[in-house]
Amino acid sequence: MVQDLLHSQPGILNFGIFFILALVLLLVILGFVTYAILAERKVMGFMQLRYGPNQVGGPWGLLQTVADVLKLLLKEDTIPKLADRPLFILAPVIAFAPSFVVIATIPFTDKLQFADIGVGLLYYIAISGLTTIGVVMAGWSSNNKYALLGGMRAAAQMISYEIPLVMSVLGVILLTGSMNLNEIVAAQENVWYILIQPIGFLVFFIASVAELNRIPFDLPEAENELIAGYFVEYSGFRWAFFMLAEYVYMFAMASLTTVLFLGGWLPIFSFLDFIPGAVWFALKFSLVVFMLLWFRSTFPRIKADQLMEFGWKVLLPVALANIFLTAIIKELLSLF
């Protein structure tokens, strides 16, 4: 019944169904963000031999993030007098919206996906790049030198690491022969791509950390240098939008990593296929998220010149070599 409605002609009922589904997805994402922040603080506390949040909401601090969000929403929303007001207001929305839109194309199971697009991988990469515009807009419109420096750093970093990110997935596309995310998962039924594309996975994962602006690549924020960088002049719910975008992208990037290299919802061994695909996806997804949290607790922030050199002189040549190697291996396999 629902499938028939979704494939029927556009109308009010059809729009209402899509709106409700999008709202449900948004609530799920907000729930993830709330407890991903708590998990990050707990993981960091564990690795630094301290407790982390443990007062608000019981012994585990389960409502600490909820209290922090309420505090943000109640804070005064200030706009600098000399800021470019329209751009200042619009920037958080442009930074956040793509992070939510790209999730529509992620297949969580073979039956749970909001939009099965033939070029889903291309769609993800193209839409996620729009966030750079919002970040640069925030830095420029704030009329603050630290914000502008943070915006320029973000533009340079995101553009530089987007190239090896795209190059790293070309090996997956070569092996699959498709940019459809469902077909990429189906092609991993016998072996996950992390085993036959380990170089591509490493390049993709490192570049994705840089795209997320997370430690050790958090130079656009760099609190001890730029006092939070491009969103230094933001407060209240507008500041929360930038934080929300970061954690929603963490959700999206962890999901994409699971789909491209970890077999999506497919089980580790075929005899374990009685376990629902959603469970497998959640386990793999959680492992990737934990690695991102682990990185923050482990690595120091690198310098700006090291960041650019690493992207252009290390990741990009390695990604190109991986494409060349994948093409040779595929051609040799086709001969036998």
Side-chain angles (χ1 to χ4, degrees):
M1 178 67 178
V2 174
Q3 292 295 328
D4 293 337
L5 288 170
L6 292 178
H7 289 93
S8 63
Q9 293 297 319
I12 295 177
L13 180 59
N14 195 270
F15 171 79
I17 293 172
F18 275 106
F19 180 80
I20 292 172
L21 291 174
L23 188 61
V24 170
L25 177 61
L26 179 61
L27 293 175
V28 171
I29 297 298
L30 291 176
F32 165 80
V33 171
T34 300
Y35 287 99
I37 294 172
L38 178 66
E40 182 166 31
R41 296 164 77 177
K42 283 289 188 181
V43 168
M44 290 178 65
F46 172 77
M47 292 185 173
Q48 296 168 2
L49 300 179
R50 55 185 177 83
Y51 289 105
N54 64 345
Q55 298 298 315
V56 180
W60 295 96
L62 294 176
L63 298 180
Q64 180 64 58
T65 309
V66 177
D68 292 339
V69 171
L70 291 175
K71 178 191 71 173
L72 277 176
L73 296 178
L74 294 174
K75 277 190 172 183
E76 181 183 3
D77 175 35
T78 60
I79 299 178
K81 183 179 180 180
L82 298 178
D84 188 326
R85 189 180 180 89
L87 294 182
F88 188 88
I89 294 173
L90 190 60
V93 179
I94 295 179
F96 165 73
S99 68
F100 183 63
V101 172
V102 296
I103 295 174
T105 192
I106 300 291
F108 301 104
T109 69
D110 54 344
K111 295 182 176 63
L112 181 57
Q113 184 182 20
F114 285 83
D116 185 7
I117 304 174
V119 288
L121 183 55
L122 178 62
Y123 169 89
Y124 182 102
I125 294 169
I127 298 297
S128 63
L130 297 176
T131 296
T132 308
I133 299 173
V135 170
V136 174
M137 189 183 294
W140 167 261
S141 63
S142 297
N143 195 28
N144 179 298
K145 61 182 180 181
Y146 297 111
L148 181 59
L149 283 171
M152 296 300 290
R153 280 186 178 186
Q157 178 172 323
M158 289 181 176
I159 292 171
S160 298
Y161 280 81
E162 187 114 8
I163 298 173
L165 183 77
V166 173
M167 294 293 183
S168 66
V169 300
L170 288 181
V172 172
I173 296 172
L174 278 172
L175 293 172
T176 308
S178 172
M179 286 191 286
N180 183 287
L181 295 177
N182 286 289
E183 293 180 10
I184 290 174
V185 173
Q188 299 177 70
E189 188 172 2
N190 296 322
V191 58
W192 296 353
Y193 282 153
I194 190 175
L195 299 177
I196 54 179
Q197 282 283 298
I199 299 174
F201 171 75
L202 287 174
V203 174
F204 179 85
F205 189 75
I206 294 170
S208 65
V209 174
E211 287 289 295
L212 291 170
N213 290 335
R214 293 183 61 83
I215 289 176
F217 304 110
D218 64 332
L219 276 79
E221 302 173 24
E223 291 88 349
N224 55 347
E225 303 169 29
L226 304 181
I227 53 173
Y230 58 90
F231 53 80
V232 63
E233 295 290 359
Y234 285 87
S235 62
F237 75 97
R238 298 188 202 280
W239 183 88
F241 259 86
F242 285 108
M243 289 291 99
L244 181 62
E246 177 182 331
Y247 282 91
V248 173
Y249 265 127
M250 181 195 290
F251 179 94
M253 195 62 79
S255 299
L256 186 63
T257 305
T258 302
V259 168
L260 293 180
F261 295 99
L262 301 179
W265 59 85
L266 299 176
I268 299 177
F269 301 107
S270 58
F271 66 85
L272 295 174
D273 58 0
F274 63 90
I275 300 175
V279 174
W280 285 116
F281 190 97
L283 290 173
K284 300 171 188 177
F285 168 85
S286 300
L287 176 62
V288 177
V289 171
F290 175 76
M291 289 178 66
L292 291 171
L293 305 184
W294 186 4
F295 272 35
R296 181 172 179 181
S297 304
T298 307
F299 293 104
R301 181 185 301 123
I302 65 175
K303 297 190 297 183
D305 60 329
Q306 294 173 333
L307 173 86
M308 301 305 291
E309 285 186 7
F310 184 69
W312 289 104
K313 295 182 179 180
V314 178
L315 284 189
L316 182 57
V318 170
L320 289 171
N322 180 64
I323 297 171
F324 185 68
L325 184 62
T326 303
I328 291 176
I329 293 174
K330 184 176 181 181
E331 185 63 26
L332 290 175
L333 290 175
S334 67
L335 297 176
F336 299 100

